[in-house]
Structures are given as C-alpha cells and as structure tokens.
Amino acid sequence: MSIQTSTDSRIIQSIFQVVLVSLLVLGSVRWILDELKSNESRIFQLYGFRQREAVFVTKEDQLDESCNVFEGQWVWDNVSYPLYKEKSCPYLVKQTTCQRNGRPDSYYQNWRWKPNSCDLPRFDALKLLDVLRNQRLMFIGDSVQRSTFESMVCMVQSVIPDNKKSFHRIPPMKIFKAEEYNVSIEYYWAPFIVESISDHATNHTVHKRLVNLDAIEKHSKSWEGVDVLIFESYVWWMHQPKINATFGDTSEVREYNVTTAYKMALETWAKWFKTKINPEKQRGFFMSMSPTHLWSWEWNPGSDGTCYDELYPIHKPSYWGTGSNQEIMKIVGDVLSRVGDNVTFLNITKLSEYRKDGHTTVYGERRGKLLTKEQRADPKNYGDCIHWCLPGVPDTWNEILYAYLLRSHRNSF
C-alpha cells in the first residue's frame, strides 16, 4: 500500500512539474508576442527591428496613363517641402550642401512640381522600399546623376534604423543598402555611358576627353542583373562642339561633331540594352538632359549675369535655354523609340529649365574644394550653374521616378 502511495505521489509531482513548465513557456510566448505588437518594445529597441505594417499601392497612388507629368508649373509649398533636411542626411557631398556652404536663402527648397492634368503621388519612403523589396536600383551617369542618387538616398534613409542601413564607396560605385528590405540603391560613374578616358570615379580628366563610341562592356558588366536602371549622359559631351573619339580601332582617333558622336554612343548603348536586358525582370529608364543656366540674358534680356543670386523660378511656359541642345533631345527620342517600351523616357528637361534658382552657384565645390572668399566674390567666373543644391530640383526627378515605379507595381497578397 505504501509503495502504491509513493508511486502515485511521484506521478502527481511529475504532472505538476510538466504543467508548471508549460505555464511558464506559454507565459513567455505571450509576453514575447505582446512585445512584438509594439514598435516601442524592448526587443525592437535592443535589436533595431521595427514592425512593418503591410504596404499596398492603392489606385490613388498610381498615375493615370493619360497624365503627362512633365508639363506643369512650380507652386510654392513651404509646408510639404523640402522632403528632407540637409542636416539630417549624412550622405550628401559638399558639392550639393548649399546651406552648409553659406547660401543665405532656402527658397529653392520649397517649390513643388504640379503637373497640369494630375497630381504626383506624395512620396512615401516605406512604400518605395516595399515596392523595391529584394531589388537593386542603380543610377548611371555623371555628377548630375550622382546628385540624383544622393537625393534618392536622402529621401528614404530617415525611415531606416541606423543599424539596418549601410553606405559603401567602391569606385566607380556608391552603394546604399536598406537591410530589412534587402534593397540596394546604387550609383555608377559613367559620364559618357560608353567607355572613355574619364571613367575613373575620382581621378578623371575634365578638359582632355576621348570616348570609345562602340565600347561599353567594361561598364555594362556591372549593370547586368540590376532590377531598375536609370541612365543619364549629357553635360560631359558639351564641353566643345567637337570631341575626340574612336570607333572600332582604338588606335585611330578622330574628331567628331558632338551630336554625331553622341548618337553613335547612344546606339551602342541601345544595342546592349536590347540584347542584355530582360523585360520580364528588369526595368530601364533614360533621363533627359539636366539644363544649365549660365547666362541671365536668356530669361532677363539686357542683363549680364549668371544664375547667381536668383531666388525664384522662371514663369514663362515656353522658356527653353540655349544650354539644352534640341538636336541631342531629338537623337535621344529617336534612339529610345527604336528600343521600344522596355525603356521609359524621363523627360525632366523642360520642368527643370524653369529652375534658374536651384543651382549651387558659389556655394558648391570647384575641383574638390569649397570656393575661397575671393572666388565667391566672382560668381561670373566661379559660379556653378550646372549642379543643383540638395534638397532641391533632383528630388522632383525622383518623385517622378517613384510615380512610374508605383504605376507598374503589383501588390502581393
């Protein structure tokens, strides 16, 4: 009898221990689940995770096919713009940080592009990251395109925890990664798109230029497999009316008219694009020329200045500056039409023509150094009316790119 009682006691004790352990496990699981419901949880704070609600692209987010986003006007909006603060983005180079470099006004940051027949969707960094999840997006081109890359990074980086983002410089590339989304936003230095003697990202010749018009392989091997590609090339072509180049035999250097050489180079790119890009998996964009504002007489007849000290956009709908070569525009249109629907033309030239106020002028860099006091006092010779302050005009280019990416996105349920 005593043996039976002892056995029953041990069984009851074992059952009690199992129940106790089960209750402890269930309690721990419930605590963890409750913690995970809050973005303020100690788990998120400890490991840098944030709960992400499902992000869906709605019908209101998507542009109507009939809307021409490139025709419109700039409207004053100091409530919604800028989309980020210069001080809040550590990825900007000195060439674009006009406020930090001493520009006294910030009006150029507060203009919003308003298309005539629709509204651009409000930029949402989380929505873009969700659309680009597990993808690479790459900007390819010159220093203007580098600013567009930096603009995009600044537009998204603030929503990502510090320990979940990274930035690497691997010449000729810069790479920003958002780890939670496995998204990579990248930049590739290729000022002529095709190969040239100016292809080193930091040690390149400015005045002596030689382009290999039918050579692209050294660059393109880094582009293959990228999900979204945005190409741009213009300013480096326009240094002189003629340019030294080769076609075929690299030992035979000839002097070409710039527009002829540009067309030959773009056709080399188009041939590569049509044969190497998979339209089922990749998207291509080509951005039109970024305008310059070198001579104030173009918008203010009788004057003899530059874009320096300009505070407001041009409000002449028909305005087109001499810095934007219309023959080049026609070449781009013709070549892209032969490539077909696999590439989207981002025609940002006209809307940017109005923005004589947005350039870095004397508040940027020259040959890697900020201007001296003496140089700033001579904006006619030292002012930069090619590059743009950030935040600024390139943010709008990225808003348009964002709108096109949303339009083609399909929600995953």
Side-chain angles (χ1 to χ4, degrees):
M1 182 68 177
S2 62
I3 296 174
Q4 181 66 39
T5 301
S6 176
T7 301
D8 291 344
S9 177
R10 286 197 297 272
I11 292 172
I12 292 171
Q13 188 175 11
S14 298
I15 293 172
F16 176 76
Q17 290 174 342
V18 170
V19 172
L20 181 61
V21 170
S22 299
L23 289 173
L24 289 172
V25 170
L26 289 172
S28 298
V29 170
R30 182 172 181 178
W31 176 82
I32 292 172
L33 290 174
D34 288 341
E35 280 284 291
L36 291 173
K37 290 179 182 178
S38 172
N39 282 337
E40 303 300 321
S41 96
R42 281 164 286 180
I43 293 175
F44 289 132
Q45 293 172 1
L46 181 61
Y47 294 104
F49 299 126
R50 293 183 185 177
Q51 183 186 15
R52 297 298 190 201
E53 296 179 0
V55 175
F56 297 111
V57 177
T58 66
K59 185 177 181 180
E60 288 71 27
D61 291 325
Q62 296 178 319
L63 288 172
D64 188 278
E65 294 282 348
S66 64
C67 177
N68 181 357
V69 297
F70 307 109
E71 293 286 343
Q73 61 182 323
W74 291 95
V75 296
W76 178 256
D77 184 351
N78 62 350
V79 176
S80 304
Y81 288 77
L83 296 175
Y84 57 91
K85 299 293 187 182
E86 180 188 293
K87 291 181 179 179
S88 70
C89 187
Y91 306 109
L92 294 175
V93 298
K94 288 186 293 183
Q95 188 177 48
T96 63
T97 53
C98 297
Q99 293 288 294
R100 188 184 308 161
N101 300 341
R103 180 164 174 167
D105 75 289
S106 60
Y107 299 138
Y108 63 91
Q109 299 181 358
N110 301 124
W111 294 95
R112 172 171 57 85
W113 178 248
K114 172 67 175 72
N116 289 330
S117 57
C118 64
D119 288 310
L120 289 174
R122 175 67 180 171
F123 184 81
D124 184 327
L126 291 176
K127 192 164 290 187
L128 176 63
L129 289 169
D130 207 54
V131 167
L132 293 176
R133 187 183 294 275
N134 299 319
Q135 295 186 48
R136 295 171 64 195
L137 181 148
M138 182 184 288
F139 294 91
I140 298 153
D142 54 28
S143 54
V144 173
Q145 187 76 324
R146 183 181 63 214
S147 296
T148 317
F149 157 77
E150 291 170 1
S151 160
M152 180 63 86
V153 170
C154 290
M155 289 165 71
V156 304
Q157 66 88 26
S158 64
V159 302
I160 308 168
D162 287 343
N163 64 340
K164 291 296 174 181
K165 58 189 172 187
S166 62
F167 191 93
H168 302 284
R169 295 172 179 83
I170 310 172
M173 298 179 66
K174 292 185 176 183
I175 303 169
F176 174 84
K177 290 187 177 181
E179 295 177 14
E180 286 184 85
Y181 293 87
N182 192 29
V183 168
S184 180
I185 300 172
E186 307 174 19
Y187 165 72
Y188 186 99
W189 169 264
F192 295 99
I193 296 185
V194 293
E195 296 169 22
S196 74
I197 63 171
S198 305
D199 288 338
H200 192 284
T202 56
N203 184 23
H204 47 253
T205 176
V206 175
H207 297 292
K208 185 179 179 181
R209 306 182 183 196
L210 175 62
V211 184
N212 301 329
L213 299 175
D214 61 340
I216 200 169
E217 175 62 26
K218 289 180 182 178
H219 295 323
S220 63
K221 62 185 180 183
S222 297
W223 309 338
E224 294 177 14
V226 176
D227 303 278
V228 183
L229 295 155
I230 306 102
F231 296 91
E232 175 272 343
S233 180
Y234 177 67
V235 170
W236 276 67
W237 291 93
M238 307 308 294
H239 183 61
Q240 298 288 343
K242 304 280 187 178
I243 192 168
N244 289 327
T246 64
F247 190 90
D249 188 347
T250 55
S251 65
E252 294 184 9
V253 179
R254 285 181 51 197
E255 189 176 66
Y256 287 82
N257 181 286
V258 160
T259 53
T260 300
Y262 189 95
K263 181 179 180 181
M264 294 169 69
L266 203 60
E267 288 175 341
T268 296
W269 166 83
K271 181 179 179 181
W272 167 84
F273 192 95
K274 287 192 290 185
T275 57
K276 295 294 185 179
I277 294 298
N278 182 348
E280 299 297 321
K281 297 181 179 180
Q282 296 169 279
R283 290 206 63 186
F285 295 87
F286 196 97
M287 190 171 289
S288 67
M289 65 188 70
S290 170
T292 62
H293 295 89
L294 303 176
W295 306 285
S296 64
W297 55 262
E298 294 189 318
W299 59 85
N300 184 19
S303 64
D304 188 34
T306 66
C307 66
Y308 173 71
D309 214 22
E310 294 287 349
L311 300 179
Y312 304 101
I314 296 168
H315 291 292
K316 297 177 182 178
S318 61
Y319 178 80
W320 187 276
T322 58
S324 300
N325 188 301
Q326 298 212 36
E327 189 175 353
I328 293 286
M329 286 288 287
K330 184 178 185 305
I331 290 169
V332 171
D334 290 345
V335 173
L336 294 187
S337 67
R338 296 198 296 272
V339 175
D341 295 336
N342 294 343
V343 63
T344 300
F345 184 38
L346 298 179
N347 190 359
I348 55 87
T349 304
K350 187 174 181 180
L351 68 90
S352 306
E353 285 279 7
Y354 305 135
R355 294 302 307 276
K356 60 182 172 57
D357 59 307
H359 294 287
T360 57
T361 66
V362 298
Y363 306 107
E365 287 183 314
R366 188 180 179 90
R367 297 177 182 174
K369 296 181 180 181
L370 294 176
L371 269 61
T372 65
K373 184 178 180 180
E374 292 73 22
Q375 289 172 328
R376 288 190 179 187
D378 186 8
K380 194 167 184 180
N381 288 312
Y382 291 97
D384 182 348
C385 295
I386 296 174
H387 296 95
W388 305 90
C389 299
L390 291 176
V393 173
D395 301 332
T396 296
W397 305 344
N398 279 323
E399 286 186 280
I400 293 172
L401 173 63
Y402 170 73
Y404 274 95
L405 292 173
L406 288 188
R407 189 163 75 178
S408 63
H409 179 69
R410 297 292 180 268
N411 291 313
S412 298
F413 297 93

Coordinates of all heavy atoms in Angstrom, one line a residue, residues 1-10:
M1 N 0.8 -1.2 0.0 CA 0.0 0.0 0.0 C 0.9 1.3 0.0 O 0.6 2.2 -0.7 CB -0.9 0.0 1.2 CG -1.9 1.2 1.3 SD -3.1 1.1 0.0 CE -4.0 2.5 0.4
S2 N 1.9 1.2 0.8 CA 2.8 2.4 0.9 C 3.6 2.6 -0.4 O 3.9 3.7 -0.8 CB 3.8 2.2 2.1 OG 4.6 1.0 1.9
I3 N 3.9 1.4 -1.1 CA 4.6 1.5 -2.4 C 3.7 2.2 -3.4 O 4.1 3.1 -4.2 CB 5.0 0.1 -2.9 CG1 6.1 -0.4 -1.9 CG2 5.6 0.2 -4.3 CD1 6.5 -1.9 -2.2
Q4 N 2.4 1.8 -3.4 CA 1.5 2.4 -4.4 C 1.3 3.9 -4.1 O 1.3 4.7 -5.0 CB 0.1 1.7 -4.2 CG -1.0 2.2 -5.2 CD -0.6 1.9 -6.6 OE1 -0.1 0.9 -6.9 NE2 -0.9 2.9 -7.5
T5 N 1.2 4.3 -2.8 CA 1.0 5.7 -2.5 C 2.3 6.5 -2.9 O 2.1 7.6 -3.4 CB 0.9 5.8 -0.9 OG1 -0.3 5.1 -0.5 CG2 0.7 7.3 -0.6
S6 N 3.5 5.9 -2.7 CA 4.7 6.6 -3.1 C 4.7 6.8 -4.7 O 5.1 7.9 -5.2 CB 5.9 5.8 -2.7 OG 7.1 6.4 -3.1
T7 N 4.3 5.8 -5.4 CA 4.3 5.9 -6.8 C 3.3 6.9 -7.3 O 3.6 7.7 -8.2 CB 3.9 4.5 -7.5 OG1 4.8 3.5 -7.0 CG2 3.9 4.6 -9.0
D8 N 2.1 7.0 -6.7 CA 1.1 8.0 -7.1 C 1.6 9.4 -6.8 O 1.4 10.3 -7.6 CB -0.2 7.7 -6.3 CG -0.9 6.4 -6.8 OD1 -0.5 5.9 -7.8 OD2 -1.8 6.0 -6.0
S9 N 2.3 9.5 -5.7 CA 2.9 10.8 -5.3 C 3.9 11.3 -6.4 O 3.9 12.5 -6.8 CB 3.5 10.8 -4.0 OG 4.1 12.0 -3.6
R10 N 4.7 10.4 -6.9 CA 5.7 10.8 -7.9 C 5.1 11.2 -9.2 O 5.5 12.1 -9.9 CB 6.7 9.6 -8.1 CG 7.7 9.5 -6.9 CD 8.9 8.6 -7.4 NE 8.5 7.3 -7.7 CZ 8.5 6.3 -6.8 NH1 8.7 6.5 -5.6 NH2 8.1 5.1 -7.2

